[in-house]
């Protein structure tokens, strides 16, 4: 009887301590981006292909996401301007989505700042290049949100960068673009 009780207790303990993966709802989760230049800015969206947050009990312990870069679109323009910008963003000058169809984000370190808010360091892979990014992630009621900036030049995207070209004047595009993420799981 003692052996059976010990085995059941060990089994229940391992179940309780195991991690729970929560898949994100890719249809209801959003990624919006904003890129800025000397003369203004553009914004748009890109869709998740898949993703999950991992919990141990109620604590966040991991996460990984794949983004469908072929879904990259512009939302602040219409007509020919929209088509031209989207074509350029999909080209080799920017994200080269014909060759690099996805981007990936994988949590590496997670620290709890306060209940429901975590400080994350993650590996972000764009165009086959991986670099760390840091951000805070707020969780509440099946939702998670964050905002952070990405330096596009770290991923080989140098087009229009004042860091690489000195004669651009008002055609300069800033190196960092902003990302706002709203997850539902």
């Amino acid at each position: 009887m003692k052996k059976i009780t010990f085995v059941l207790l060990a089994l229940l303990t391992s179940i309780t301590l195991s991690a729970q993966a929560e898949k994100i709802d890719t249809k209801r989760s959003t990624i919006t981006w904003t890129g800025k230049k000397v003369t203004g800015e553009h914004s748009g969206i890109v869709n998740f292909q898949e993703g999950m947050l991992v919990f141990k009990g109620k604590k966040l312990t991991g996460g990984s996401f794949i983004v469908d870069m072929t879904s990259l679109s512009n939302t602040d323009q219409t007509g020919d301007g929209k088509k031209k910008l989207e074509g350029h963003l999909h080209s080799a000058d920017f994200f080269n989505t014909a060759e690099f169809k996805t981007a990936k984000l994988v949590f590496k370190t997670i620290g709890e700042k306060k209940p429901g808010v975590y400080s994350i360091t993650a590996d972000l892979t764009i165009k086959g290049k991986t670099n760390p990014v840091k951000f805070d992630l707020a969780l509440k009621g099946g939702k998670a949100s964050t905002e952070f900036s990405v330096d596009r030049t770290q991923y080989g995207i140098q087009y229009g960068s004042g860091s690489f070209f000195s004669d651009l004047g008002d055609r300069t595009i800033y190196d960092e673009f902003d990302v706002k993420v709203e997850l539902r799981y």
Side-chain angles (χ1 to χ4, degrees), residues 4-183:
I4 292 172
T5 303
F6 178 75
V7 170
L8 285 174
L9 182 57
L11 180 61
L12 288 174
T13 303
S14 70
I15 290 170
T16 303
L17 296 177
S18 67
Q20 296 280 131
E22 295 285 343
K23 285 186 176 186
I24 64 163
D25 182 339
T26 58
K27 300 293 184 212
R28 294 177 46 217
S29 297
T30 60
I31 305 170
T32 57
W33 58 266
T34 302
K36 298 176 182 172
K37 54 187 181 174
V38 171
T39 59
E41 65 182 47
H42 290 293
S43 58
I45 60 172
V46 63
N47 297 325
F48 283 102
Q49 184 173 318
E50 63 183 68
M52 74 173 73
L53 293 171
V54 180
F55 295 90
K56 195 170 206 176
K58 293 184 180 186
K59 301 276 186 196
L60 181 67
T61 60
S64 64
F65 307 90
I66 297 176
V67 175
D68 176 7
M69 293 304 291
T70 66
S71 71
L72 180 66
S73 66
N74 168 251
T75 57
D76 67 288
Q77 293 181 307
T78 58
D80 290 340
K82 175 183 173 72
K83 288 179 188 175
K84 183 178 176 184
L85 178 58
E86 287 177 353
H88 201 195
L89 290 173
H90 285 272
S91 78
D93 282 344
F94 284 93
F95 294 98
N96 193 7
T97 61
E99 184 176 344
F100 300 99
K101 297 185 184 315
T102 62
K104 186 175 184 179
L105 181 84
V106 178
F107 293 2
K108 291 299 181 183
T109 62
I110 301 168
E112 188 172 22
K113 291 181 83 170
K114 60 183 182 179
V117 179
Y118 295 87
S119 177
I120 311 287
T121 300
D123 281 348
L124 176 61
T125 303
I126 299 174
K127 291 180 71 173
K129 296 181 186 325
T130 303
N131 290 289
V133 291
K134 294 182 180 186
F135 54 90
D136 289 344
L137 184 69
L139 302 170
K140 186 174 182 179
K143 298 178 187 176
S145 61
T146 188
E147 295 182 32
F148 59 95
S149 296
V150 176
D151 181 346
R152 66 189 174 94
T153 63
Q154 291 183 340
Y155 303 92
I157 306 169
Q158 299 171 353
Y159 182 88
S161 168
S163 299
F164 291 88
F165 306 99
S166 59
D167 60 346
L168 296 171
D170 65 1
R171 296 177 317 208
T172 301
I173 302 169
Y174 297 124
D175 292 346
E176 291 192 341
F177 64 93
D178 299 323
V179 178
K180 182 178 179 181
V181 180
E182 300 287 335
L183 300 172

